[in-house]
Amino acid sequence: MLSTILNNVLNCFEYYRGVAYLWDKEKENLVCHGTGGLSEESEKIIRTKPLNVNRHDCIEIRAAQSSTYTYIEDPTNGPNLTKIDLKISHQHGGRGSLLFVPLRSKGETFGILGVERYPTQVESYPGQFEITEKNIRSLMLFVNHASIAIENARLYAQNARKINYLVRLQEIYRELNVIMDMDQLTEDILDYALSLSQASSGAIWCCDPGTRRAHLRLLRGYPSSQRTDIRLSLDQHPFKEVCHEQRLALIPELTKCAYSLPVSPLKGSTILIPITYEDQTAAILQLDHRDSSIFDETATEVLKIYASQVGKLIENVKLYKRLLSERRFIDNVMNSAGVGILITDAKGKILSINPKIEEIFVTKSSEVIGKPADVIFSGDQRAIFHIIRETMRKKKDTEKEVNFVQKEDELILKVNSFVVFDGDKRFSGVATLIQDVTETKRLSESLRRMEKMAAIGTMAAGVAHELRNPLSGIFTTIQTLTKELACTGEQKLEMDAVLEEVDRMETLIQEILRFSKPLPLTISKGDINAVLKKCVAALQDKIKAKRIRVLCEAQDETAYLRADMDKIHQVFLNLLVNAIEASEEGGTVEIHSRSIPFSNNGRPKGIEIQVTDHGVGIPPDNLSKIFDPFFTTKNYGTGLGLTICAKIIEEHNGEIIVKSENGRGSVFTIRLRK
Ligand SMILES: Nc1ncnc2c1ncn2[C@@H]1O[C@H](COP(=O)(O)OP(=O)(O)OP(=O)(O)O)[C@@H](O)[C@H]1O
Ligand SMILES: [Mg+2]
């Protein structure tokens, strides 16, 4: 580059010949890096003999040391010329007028450019070849501009190797950055270190600060006979310095080394570089080569940068692994939780849902993630969305119970929404737990009923027992009195009415006693459809009296099950009586029976019977009370019908469920195991 610039100067400004020197400040030399118009001999001398600041007192050195131009009209004759100047003139067969201009950058001279014109030229063309003030200024201006380009080129040449290394480092970093597997990363770290440094062999030692020992993790370029199960103390030189002081150790000549390395080539040099992770030495990278000069200043500097980058990558992989295992743990919790878990962000968008939510709301996480929470909760499930919205708005945990229908089943869901804050106490979302409490509710309801029944049963049995004797006393006394007083007419009718009432009370007492001390179940195999038909037949009088249409629909002609058939008969009798009593004149009562997968192995294992009427229905407030003993809305009802039904079904491990709409009718569903 310098020669090109110089030749341009000679052509443009009409100089005879020229030379360009760069200043090697370390060696204090002016070194020729470009010539123009020189004879072969002169060029050889100039190129091979640098001018030393301390030894050569010549025009070139003086010009380089001055910060401005130097012009010597006659370098063979003058007061300031030294012996060396004259010697140089002589070497080049005499010299013409000389002009040296400094090459400067950031206020410092880094070289000089010299041009020459022969006085003979001046003689041949008088006035034309004189170096005028204007010539000097023009050259100065040109050189000032050229200096920038020269300086850049000089710096580039000086750092080209380092730049190449850094570019390669960047590439390697990019390639290693995507590796998330620690074993793979370790192998690649060593392989790239070998290719980067051109080392012939190498190893990676893993350090354990707890035991203060390192073990050999990986080897490259060693014969297969090399032992690999090596552990060494980290308190031993030179590993000690590398590990504890995190210093790089270069052993330039292994043959002259006073100590032996646990893994080492026979001769050559070895470098040990610490790889740090969280300020501790996690590993030591060992690289070996026959020639120690490959680990020069630039190479070691680059290897240091490489090791620090690698430390960061190890940190990343460890972090990634930790995050992954935390994530897996959270996923496992989410997957195995028996409750539905739904996480929404601060804006109400779904971040994650677990399989239980997918099951309850019949949805797929892939379809809802990232969407607003109301996509899951439509229709009557919207109540859940409102709970989440309320939690978000009030930033307060919320707990509520929600009823909703899933595939014809009415479920009771307990919804708990929790506000989630981040580390800076900023609201970051809502976690909602949704628990299906239908079964628990049903069980506790039936438990409550049973307890109530037991208490009332005991009390009723006591009262009934106490009433029984006086009642039979009253009955016989009235009978005797009627006879003795020979009652007739009005009196006889009144006496008979009293006896009838006493009789009705006697029947009620019998009923109460039967209810409080039930007979044990007598299990036999029977056809439920036949039982239903018998019940309808037994109620013909009532059915006809109210002109009720009874529709019987059975999925199968016969449906056998093992149960106490008399008690089951009693259940349907009660339900049908209730249905008829609730119906309007001319109304319809339906009875449906079908097989159902009552057990969880999927095979039809149970029977479901539904008794439906389109009558008065049950007001919502009464729904929870209808199975209570003595709850009745009828004038002559005992309120024991449904209590007995529920008790019998429970004794059979079955289910009794009611759905009713006030004014529109009711459906009683019984599920029994086969
Ligand atoms: N199919 C129905 N439609 C509307 N209400 C009903 C129906 N079945 C039961 N009920 C309500 O439940 C109450 C309790 O019924 P339950 O059969 O236990 O007693 P009851 O019918 O009143 O008297 P009994 O002891 O004579 O049966 C009834 O009084 C009625 O209010
Ligand atoms: Mg009844």
Side-chain angles (χ1 to χ4, degrees), residues 511 574-583 611 613 615-619 622 625-634 636-645 658 660 665-668:
E511 190 79 0
N574 279 337
L575 293 179
L576 283 169
V577 169
N578 283 349
I580 294 166
E581 285 174 354
S583 299
V611 177
D613 67 68
V616 291
I618 305 164
N622 287 354
K625 301 179 202 154
I626 56 168
F627 293 103
D628 287 352
F630 307 112
F631 174 79
T632 180
T633 55
K634 299 171 191 167
Y636 293 103
T638 61
L640 283 174
L642 285 181
T643 317
I644 291 168
C645 289
V658 59
S660 184
S666 316
V667 185
F668 282 82

Short mmCIF file of all heavy atoms in Angstrom, two decimals, residues 511 574-583 611 613 615-619 622 625-634 636-645 658 660 665-668, ligand 1:
data_model
loop_
_atom_site.label_atom_id
_atom_site.label_comp_id
_atom_site.label_asym_id
_atom_site.label_seq_id
_atom_site.Cartn_x
_atom_site.Cartn_y
_atom_site.Cartn_z
N GLU A 511 -95.48 -47.62 60.76
CA GLU A 511 -94.60 -47.11 59.68
C GLU A 511 -93.30 -46.57 60.28
O GLU A 511 -92.19 -46.86 59.81
CB GLU A 511 -95.37 -46.00 58.94
CG GLU A 511 -94.73 -45.52 57.67
CD GLU A 511 -94.98 -46.46 56.51
OE1 GLU A 511 -95.64 -47.51 56.66
OE2 GLU A 511 -94.46 -46.14 55.45
N ASN A 574 -93.24 -45.59 45.86
CA ASN A 574 -93.21 -44.24 46.44
C ASN A 574 -93.01 -43.17 45.37
O ASN A 574 -93.69 -42.15 45.37
CB ASN A 574 -92.07 -44.11 47.46
CG ASN A 574 -92.46 -44.70 48.80
OD1 ASN A 574 -93.65 -44.81 49.10
ND2 ASN A 574 -91.47 -45.09 49.59
N LEU A 575 -92.02 -43.44 44.45
CA LEU A 575 -91.72 -42.44 43.43
C LEU A 575 -92.91 -42.23 42.51
O LEU A 575 -93.23 -41.09 42.13
CB LEU A 575 -90.48 -42.87 42.61
CG LEU A 575 -89.16 -42.90 43.36
CD1 LEU A 575 -88.04 -43.36 42.42
CD2 LEU A 575 -88.82 -41.51 43.90
N LEU A 576 -93.55 -43.35 42.14
CA LEU A 576 -94.70 -43.24 41.23
C LEU A 576 -95.88 -42.53 41.91
O LEU A 576 -96.53 -41.69 41.27
CB LEU A 576 -95.12 -44.63 40.74
CG LEU A 576 -94.21 -45.20 39.64
CD1 LEU A 576 -94.51 -46.66 39.38
CD2 LEU A 576 -94.37 -44.40 38.35
N VAL A 577 -96.11 -42.85 43.18
CA VAL A 577 -97.18 -42.17 43.91
C VAL A 577 -96.92 -40.66 43.91
O VAL A 577 -97.79 -39.85 43.58
CB VAL A 577 -97.32 -42.72 45.35
CG1 VAL A 577 -98.25 -41.83 46.17
CG2 VAL A 577 -97.83 -44.15 45.32
N ASN A 578 -95.69 -40.29 44.22
CA ASN A 578 -95.33 -38.86 44.23
C ASN A 578 -95.56 -38.24 42.86
O ASN A 578 -96.09 -37.13 42.75
CB ASN A 578 -93.86 -38.67 44.62
CG ASN A 578 -93.63 -38.82 46.11
OD1 ASN A 578 -94.60 -38.89 46.87
ND2 ASN A 578 -92.38 -38.91 46.52
N ALA A 579 -95.11 -38.96 41.80
CA ALA A 579 -95.25 -38.43 40.44
C ALA A 579 -96.71 -38.24 40.09
O ALA A 579 -97.09 -37.21 39.51
CB ALA A 579 -94.57 -39.39 39.45
N ILE A 580 -97.56 -39.24 40.46
CA ILE A 580 -99.00 -39.12 40.15
C ILE A 580 -99.59 -37.95 40.93
O ILE A 580 -100.33 -37.13 40.38
CB ILE A 580 -99.71 -40.45 40.49
CG1 ILE A 580 -99.22 -41.57 39.55
CG2 ILE A 580 -101.22 -40.31 40.38
CD1 ILE A 580 -99.58 -42.98 40.00
N GLU A 581 -99.19 -37.87 42.21
CA GLU A 581 -99.76 -36.80 43.04
C GLU A 581 -99.33 -35.41 42.54
O GLU A 581 -100.07 -34.45 42.68
CB GLU A 581 -99.34 -36.99 44.49
CG GLU A 581 -100.13 -38.13 45.15
CD GLU A 581 -99.69 -38.47 46.57
OE1 GLU A 581 -98.67 -37.91 47.04
OE2 GLU A 581 -100.35 -39.30 47.19
N ALA A 582 -98.12 -35.35 41.95
CA ALA A 582 -97.64 -34.04 41.47
C ALA A 582 -98.27 -33.66 40.14
O ALA A 582 -98.27 -32.48 39.77
CB ALA A 582 -96.12 -34.08 41.34
N SER A 583 -98.77 -34.67 39.40
CA SER A 583 -99.29 -34.40 38.05
C SER A 583 -100.69 -33.80 38.09
O SER A 583 -101.46 -34.02 39.02
CB SER A 583 -99.33 -35.69 37.24
OG SER A 583 -98.03 -36.22 37.12
N VAL A 611 -87.87 -41.79 36.67
CA VAL A 611 -89.31 -41.58 36.79
C VAL A 611 -89.54 -40.09 36.57
O VAL A 611 -89.05 -39.26 37.34
CB VAL A 611 -89.81 -42.03 38.19
CG1 VAL A 611 -91.30 -41.74 38.33
CG2 VAL A 611 -89.51 -43.50 38.41
N ASP A 613 -92.13 -36.84 35.74
CA ASP A 613 -93.50 -36.32 35.62
C ASP A 613 -93.45 -34.89 35.11
O ASP A 613 -92.38 -34.27 35.09
CB ASP A 613 -94.23 -36.39 36.98
CG ASP A 613 -93.63 -35.45 37.99
OD1 ASP A 613 -93.76 -34.22 37.82
OD2 ASP A 613 -93.01 -35.93 38.99
N GLY A 615 -95.44 -32.43 36.27
CA GLY A 615 -96.38 -31.82 37.21
C GLY A 615 -95.88 -30.53 37.81
O GLY A 615 -95.21 -29.74 37.15
N VAL A 616 -96.19 -30.37 39.13
CA VAL A 616 -95.94 -29.07 39.77
C VAL A 616 -94.47 -28.71 39.94
O VAL A 616 -94.11 -27.54 40.05
CB VAL A 616 -96.62 -28.99 41.17
CG1 VAL A 616 -98.12 -28.94 41.04
CG2 VAL A 616 -96.18 -30.17 42.05
N GLY A 617 -93.63 -29.74 39.98
CA GLY A 617 -92.20 -29.46 40.17
C GLY A 617 -91.90 -29.13 41.62
O GLY A 617 -92.81 -29.01 42.45
N ILE A 618 -90.62 -29.00 41.93
CA ILE A 618 -90.21 -28.73 43.32
C ILE A 618 -89.50 -27.38 43.36
O ILE A 618 -88.53 -27.17 42.62
CB ILE A 618 -89.27 -29.84 43.85
CG1 ILE A 618 -89.95 -31.21 43.68
CG2 ILE A 618 -88.86 -29.61 45.29
CD1 ILE A 618 -89.03 -32.40 43.80
N PRO A 619 -89.94 -26.47 44.20
CA PRO A 619 -89.25 -25.17 44.27
C PRO A 619 -87.79 -25.38 44.70
O PRO A 619 -87.53 -26.24 45.56
CB PRO A 619 -90.03 -24.39 45.34
CG PRO A 619 -91.27 -25.17 45.59
CD PRO A 619 -91.05 -26.56 45.15
N ASN A 622 -86.87 -26.11 48.26
CA ASN A 622 -87.27 -27.39 48.87
C ASN A 622 -86.41 -28.56 48.43
O ASN A 622 -86.41 -29.60 49.09
CB ASN A 622 -88.74 -27.70 48.51
CG ASN A 622 -89.70 -26.81 49.28
OD1 ASN A 622 -89.26 -26.06 50.15
ND2 ASN A 622 -90.98 -26.90 48.97
N LYS A 625 -84.49 -30.42 50.83
CA LYS A 625 -85.19 -30.93 52.02
C LYS A 625 -86.04 -32.16 51.74
O LYS A 625 -86.45 -32.85 52.68
CB LYS A 625 -86.13 -29.83 52.58
CG LYS A 625 -85.42 -28.55 52.96
CD LYS A 625 -86.44 -27.55 53.46
CE LYS A 625 -85.91 -26.12 53.36
NZ LYS A 625 -86.98 -25.17 53.23
N ILE A 626 -86.33 -32.43 50.46
CA ILE A 626 -87.34 -33.46 50.17
C ILE A 626 -86.96 -34.86 50.68
O ILE A 626 -87.84 -35.68 50.90
CB ILE A 626 -87.68 -33.55 48.66
CG1 ILE A 626 -86.42 -33.80 47.84
CG2 ILE A 626 -88.41 -32.30 48.19
CD1 ILE A 626 -86.72 -34.17 46.40
N PHE A 627 -85.67 -35.11 50.90
CA PHE A 627 -85.28 -36.44 51.42
C PHE A 627 -85.26 -36.46 52.95
O PHE A 627 -85.01 -37.50 53.55
CB PHE A 627 -83.91 -36.85 50.87
CG PHE A 627 -83.91 -37.09 49.38
CD1 PHE A 627 -83.40 -36.18 48.49
CD2 PHE A 627 -84.46 -38.28 48.88
CE1 PHE A 627 -83.43 -36.41 47.13
CE2 PHE A 627 -84.48 -38.52 47.51
CZ PHE A 627 -83.97 -37.58 46.63
N ASP A 628 -85.48 -35.30 53.57
CA ASP A 628 -85.49 -35.24 55.04
C ASP A 628 -86.73 -35.96 55.58
O ASP A 628 -87.82 -35.84 55.01
CB ASP A 628 -85.52 -33.78 55.51
CG ASP A 628 -84.17 -33.10 55.30
OD1 ASP A 628 -83.22 -33.83 54.93
OD2 ASP A 628 -84.09 -31.88 55.47
N PRO A 629 -86.56 -36.65 56.69
CA PRO A 629 -87.73 -37.32 57.28
C PRO A 629 -88.80 -36.29 57.67
O PRO A 629 -88.45 -35.20 58.14
CB PRO A 629 -87.18 -38.01 58.51
CG PRO A 629 -85.71 -37.94 58.41
CD PRO A 629 -85.35 -36.87 57.47
N PHE A 630 -90.01 -36.61 57.45
CA PHE A 630 -91.18 -35.81 57.81
C PHE A 630 -91.30 -34.50 57.04
O PHE A 630 -92.11 -33.66 57.38
CB PHE A 630 -91.24 -35.52 59.34
CG PHE A 630 -91.14 -36.79 60.15
CD1 PHE A 630 -90.03 -37.06 60.94
CD2 PHE A 630 -92.16 -37.73 60.10
CE1 PHE A 630 -89.95 -38.23 61.67
CE2 PHE A 630 -92.08 -38.91 60.84
CZ PHE A 630 -90.96 -39.17 61.62
N PHE A 631 -90.49 -34.35 55.99
CA PHE A 631 -90.69 -33.15 55.18
C PHE A 631 -91.80 -33.46 54.17
O PHE A 631 -91.67 -34.36 53.33
CB PHE A 631 -89.44 -32.71 54.43
CG PHE A 631 -89.72 -31.55 53.50
CD1 PHE A 631 -89.82 -30.25 54.00
CD2 PHE A 631 -89.98 -31.76 52.14
CE1 PHE A 631 -90.13 -29.19 53.15
CE2 PHE A 631 -90.31 -30.70 51.31
CZ PHE A 631 -90.38 -29.42 51.81
N THR A 632 -92.88 -32.70 54.27
CA THR A 632 -93.97 -32.90 53.32
C THR A 632 -94.65 -31.57 53.04
O THR A 632 -94.64 -30.66 53.88
CB THR A 632 -94.99 -33.93 53.86
OG1 THR A 632 -96.04 -34.09 52.91
CG2 THR A 632 -95.62 -33.50 55.18
N THR A 633 -95.19 -31.48 51.82
CA THR A 633 -95.97 -30.29 51.50
C THR A 633 -97.45 -30.69 51.32
O THR A 633 -98.25 -29.90 50.87
CB THR A 633 -95.46 -29.64 50.20
OG1 THR A 633 -95.47 -30.63 49.17
CG2 THR A 633 -94.07 -29.06 50.36
N LYS A 634 -97.72 -31.98 51.65
CA LYS A 634 -99.08 -32.49 51.44
C LYS A 634 -99.84 -32.53 52.77
O LYS A 634 -99.22 -32.75 53.83
CB LYS A 634 -99.00 -33.90 50.84
CG LYS A 634 -98.28 -33.91 49.50
CD LYS A 634 -98.02 -35.31 49.03
CE LYS A 634 -97.08 -35.28 47.84
NZ LYS A 634 -96.53 -36.59 47.52
N TYR A 636 -101.99 -34.81 53.91
CA TYR A 636 -101.98 -36.10 54.61
C TYR A 636 -100.70 -36.88 54.36
O TYR A 636 -100.66 -38.10 54.50
CB TYR A 636 -103.22 -36.91 54.18
CG TYR A 636 -104.50 -36.28 54.68
CD1 TYR A 636 -105.31 -35.55 53.82
CD2 TYR A 636 -104.84 -36.38 56.03
CE1 TYR A 636 -106.45 -34.93 54.29
CE2 TYR A 636 -105.98 -35.77 56.50
CZ TYR A 636 -106.79 -35.03 55.64
OH TYR A 636 -107.91 -34.40 56.10
N GLY A 637 -99.63 -36.22 54.00
CA GLY A 637 -98.37 -36.92 53.75
C GLY A 637 -97.64 -37.14 55.07
O GLY A 637 -97.80 -36.37 56.01
N THR A 638 -96.84 -38.20 55.13
CA THR A 638 -96.02 -38.40 56.33
C THR A 638 -94.65 -37.77 56.14
O THR A 638 -93.91 -37.54 57.09
CB THR A 638 -95.80 -39.91 56.59
OG1 THR A 638 -95.11 -40.44 55.46
CG2 THR A 638 -97.10 -40.64 56.82
N GLY A 639 -94.26 -37.55 54.87
CA GLY A 639 -92.92 -37.01 54.60
C GLY A 639 -91.85 -38.08 54.79
O GLY A 639 -90.67 -37.76 54.94
N LEU A 640 -92.28 -39.36 54.75
CA LEU A 640 -91.28 -40.43 54.92
C LEU A 640 -90.99 -41.16 53.61
O LEU A 640 -90.01 -41.88 53.49
CB LEU A 640 -91.79 -41.44 55.95
CG LEU A 640 -91.67 -41.00 57.41
CD1 LEU A 640 -92.34 -42.02 58.33
CD2 LEU A 640 -90.22 -40.80 57.82
N GLY A 641 -91.84 -40.96 52.57
CA GLY A 641 -91.71 -41.69 51.30
C GLY A 641 -90.30 -41.60 50.72
O GLY A 641 -89.62 -42.61 50.55
N LEU A 642 -89.85 -40.38 50.44
CA LEU A 642 -88.53 -40.21 49.80
C LEU A 642 -87.39 -40.56 50.76
O LEU A 642 -86.34 -41.02 50.33
CB LEU A 642 -88.36 -38.77 49.29
CG LEU A 642 -89.15 -38.43 48.01
CD1 LEU A 642 -88.89 -36.99 47.60
CD2 LEU A 642 -88.75 -39.36 46.86
N THR A 643 -87.60 -40.33 52.05
CA THR A 643 -86.56 -40.69 53.04
C THR A 643 -86.30 -42.19 52.96
O THR A 643 -85.14 -42.63 52.91
CB THR A 643 -87.03 -40.33 54.47
OG1 THR A 643 -87.66 -39.06 54.44
CG2 THR A 643 -85.90 -40.34 55.44
N ILE A 644 -87.39 -42.96 52.90
CA ILE A 644 -87.24 -44.42 52.83
C ILE A 644 -86.59 -44.81 51.50
O ILE A 644 -85.66 -45.63 51.46
CB ILE A 644 -88.62 -45.11 53.01
CG1 ILE A 644 -89.08 -44.89 54.46
CG2 ILE A 644 -88.57 -46.58 52.66
CD1 ILE A 644 -90.52 -45.26 54.73
N CYS A 645 -87.04 -44.15 50.41
CA CYS A 645 -86.44 -44.44 49.09
C CYS A 645 -84.92 -44.25 49.15
O CYS A 645 -84.15 -45.13 48.74
CB CYS A 645 -86.99 -43.49 48.02
SG CYS A 645 -88.67 -43.81 47.58
N VAL A 658 -82.21 -36.06 41.94
CA VAL A 658 -83.44 -35.42 41.49
C VAL A 658 -83.11 -34.15 40.72
O VAL A 658 -82.18 -33.42 41.08
CB VAL A 658 -84.39 -35.13 42.67
CG1 VAL A 658 -83.76 -34.24 43.71
CG2 VAL A 658 -85.70 -34.49 42.19
N SER A 660 -85.43 -30.96 39.08
CA SER A 660 -86.82 -30.51 39.01
C SER A 660 -86.88 -29.05 38.63
O SER A 660 -85.97 -28.27 38.95
CB SER A 660 -87.47 -30.72 40.37
OG SER A 660 -88.83 -30.37 40.27
N GLY A 665 -92.17 -29.86 36.25
CA GLY A 665 -92.05 -31.30 36.45
C GLY A 665 -90.73 -31.71 37.07
O GLY A 665 -89.85 -30.87 37.30
N SER A 666 -90.62 -33.01 37.35
CA SER A 666 -89.43 -33.52 38.03
C SER A 666 -88.96 -34.82 37.40
O SER A 666 -89.76 -35.56 36.84
CB SER A 666 -89.73 -33.79 39.51
OG SER A 666 -90.47 -32.75 40.06
N VAL A 667 -87.65 -35.07 37.54
CA VAL A 667 -87.08 -36.36 37.10
C VAL A 667 -86.34 -36.95 38.28
O VAL A 667 -85.43 -36.32 38.82
CB VAL A 667 -86.09 -36.17 35.93
CG1 VAL A 667 -85.61 -37.52 35.42
CG2 VAL A 667 -86.70 -35.35 34.81
N PHE A 668 -86.75 -38.15 38.71
CA PHE A 668 -86.00 -38.88 39.75
C PHE A 668 -85.20 -39.96 39.05
O PHE A 668 -85.75 -40.78 38.35
CB PHE A 668 -86.97 -39.48 40.78
CG PHE A 668 -87.47 -38.45 41.77
CD1 PHE A 668 -88.53 -37.62 41.44
CD2 PHE A 668 -86.86 -38.30 43.01
CE1 PHE A 668 -88.99 -36.65 42.34
CE2 PHE A 668 -87.31 -37.35 43.91
CZ PHE A 668 -88.37 -36.51 43.58
N1 LIG B 1 -92.68 -35.90 41.89
C1 LIG B 1 -92.76 -34.87 42.72
N2 LIG B 1 -93.17 -33.66 42.27
C2 LIG B 1 -93.24 -32.60 43.11
N3 LIG B 1 -92.93 -32.64 44.42
C3 LIG B 1 -92.55 -33.84 44.92
C4 LIG B 1 -92.40 -35.00 44.09
N4 LIG B 1 -91.98 -36.02 44.87
C5 LIG B 1 -91.84 -35.50 46.13
N5 LIG B 1 -92.18 -34.22 46.17
C6 LIG B 1 -92.10 -33.31 47.31
O1 LIG B 1 -91.35 -33.93 48.31
C7 LIG B 1 -92.08 -34.03 49.51
C8 LIG B 1 -91.66 -35.25 50.25
O2 LIG B 1 -92.05 -36.41 49.55
P1 LIG B 1 -92.28 -37.73 50.30
O3 LIG B 1 -92.59 -38.76 49.33
O4 LIG B 1 -91.06 -37.96 51.16
O5 LIG B 1 -93.40 -37.39 51.29
P2 LIG B 1 -94.91 -37.16 50.90
O6 LIG B 1 -95.13 -37.62 49.52
O7 LIG B 1 -95.15 -35.75 51.20
O8 LIG B 1 -95.59 -38.08 51.94
P3 LIG B 1 -95.61 -39.67 51.96
O9 LIG B 1 -94.84 -40.00 53.17
O10 LIG B 1 -97.00 -40.05 52.01
O11 LIG B 1 -94.94 -40.12 50.74
C9 LIG B 1 -93.46 -33.99 49.04
O12 LIG B 1 -94.35 -33.54 50.05
C10 LIG B 1 -93.43 -33.04 47.89
O13 LIG B 1 -93.45 -31.73 48.32
#
